[in-house]
Amino acid sequence: MSLANFYDKAALAASHILHGFDEVAFKQRLENCLVCISFDDAAVGNVEAETTLELTVNLLSRLYPRLMLKSDGEKATHFAESLIIIAKSINPDIEFGSESDLPDFCISVGAASPYVSCPIIFVGSEGWIVKVSPRIPVGSGTTKNPFGAAAAACFAAANTFRFLFSDQLGGANLDSDFKVSLIDWDALSPTPTNPILKELHLGEAYLIGVGAIGNAALWVLSRVADIQGVLHLIDNE
């Protein structure tokens, strides 16, 4: 087991937000925790759910050296193999826990509620809408819109970090139940804005900087089914 080779950048970022940051203690906590990602057959073959799972694994593999994939169903178990490939492409030395291990925190995608004794955050989406709950499964929509699904993965990763480092963060509670549209971010709306994502025409566009934000933009744009145009990437690295 080993931390990803860009761990130093993650530690530097964490040092700016964690009270009383100590790098040795930070590293030990990462190495000792086990984060579970749970999903079922309802999530497999669903564009939104698979997008959430793939980005969740992508994000977590960059910081945590130990993950656990808890797949419920034959299709889910088969899909887990592709998630392992994603994780190992980011950190070849990442370790995966077994069914007998006890996770510290669990992220759940799909229709089922996993049998674990640790806290769970349920995430999902419906087009442009992000859905989060600490209590019950929220499911995923059937659209091919990847934006809400990708945002759900970001909320999953954020809740994981908040939980594991709650003693060094202010206001680090898990998110309560909410649904919010990425179009207007109005969390109080009873009917979140959710227009149909049709063909996306970029024309000839320029993306300046392919770092964390630029890379994320490319990642989600690459998953838009009907997209046309020419995108020039500009980065001196």
Side-chain angles (χ1 to χ4, degrees):
M1 175 184 65
S2 176
L3 293 160
N5 60 9
F6 36 79
Y7 157 78
D8 290 343
K9 289 186 176 180
L12 178 62
S15 70
H16 293 297
I17 60 172
L18 296 180
H19 304 306
F21 178 81
D22 177 89
E23 186 172 351
V24 173
F26 178 70
K27 183 177 180 180
Q28 289 178 340
R29 187 173 298 195
L30 291 177
E31 292 175 335
N32 292 334
C33 76
L34 178 61
V35 181
C36 172
I37 304 167
S38 172
F39 56 101
D40 57 7
D41 280 352
V44 181
N46 178 298
V47 172
E48 292 193 39
E50 289 189 0
T51 298
T52 299
L53 286 168
E54 289 174 6
L55 186 54
T56 297
V57 170
N58 188 312
L59 291 172
L60 296 183
S61 300
R62 296 172 185 277
L63 183 61
Y64 305 98
R66 299 176 65 221
L67 298 179
M68 175 181 177
L69 298 180
K70 192 173 181 62
S71 52
D72 181 7
E74 184 177 348
K75 292 192 297 182
T77 300
H78 181 71
F79 186 70
E81 297 175 6
S82 65
L83 296 179
I84 291 173
I85 292 173
I86 291 173
K88 288 188 174 293
S89 71
I90 295 168
N91 179 3
D93 297 319
I94 197 167
E95 180 182 292
F96 285 90
S98 66
E99 282 290 327
S100 60
D101 291 325
L102 299 176
D104 297 283
F105 187 77
C106 183
I107 296 165
S108 182
V109 178
S113 183
Y115 293 101
V116 292
S117 57
C118 64
I120 306 172
I121 193 76
F122 298 91
V123 295
S125 61
E126 187 174 346
W128 293 100
I129 298 171
V130 181
K131 300 185 289 184
V132 175
S133 174
R135 304 180 302 109
I136 56 174
V138 295
S140 297
T142 57
T143 79
K144 293 183 179 180
N145 184 339
F147 290 99
C154 296
F155 278 100
N159 276 274
T160 303
F161 188 85
R162 263 185 265 151
F163 173 78
L164 294 174
F165 293 96
S166 59
D167 58 330
Q168 293 177 268
L169 290 166
N173 297 326
L174 296 185
D175 284 320
S176 55
D177 295 66
F178 75 84
K179 293 196 302 183
V180 66
S181 169
L182 302 186
I183 301 297
D184 56 18
W185 289 101
D186 182 2
L188 300 179
S189 173
T191 56
T193 305
N194 196 21
I196 296 174
L197 178 63
K198 300 179 181 179
E199 289 186 0
L200 182 59
H201 295 275
L202 294 178
E204 186 171 11
Y206 297 82
L207 179 63
I208 301 175
V210 194
I213 296 174
N215 186 274
L218 288 172
W219 190 94
V220 72
L221 285 173
S222 72
R223 283 156 175 76
V224 176
D226 298 314
I227 186 169
Q228 299 179 35
V230 177
L231 182 61
H232 301 277
L233 309 182
I234 302 173
D235 195 303
N236 62 5
E237 294 184 11

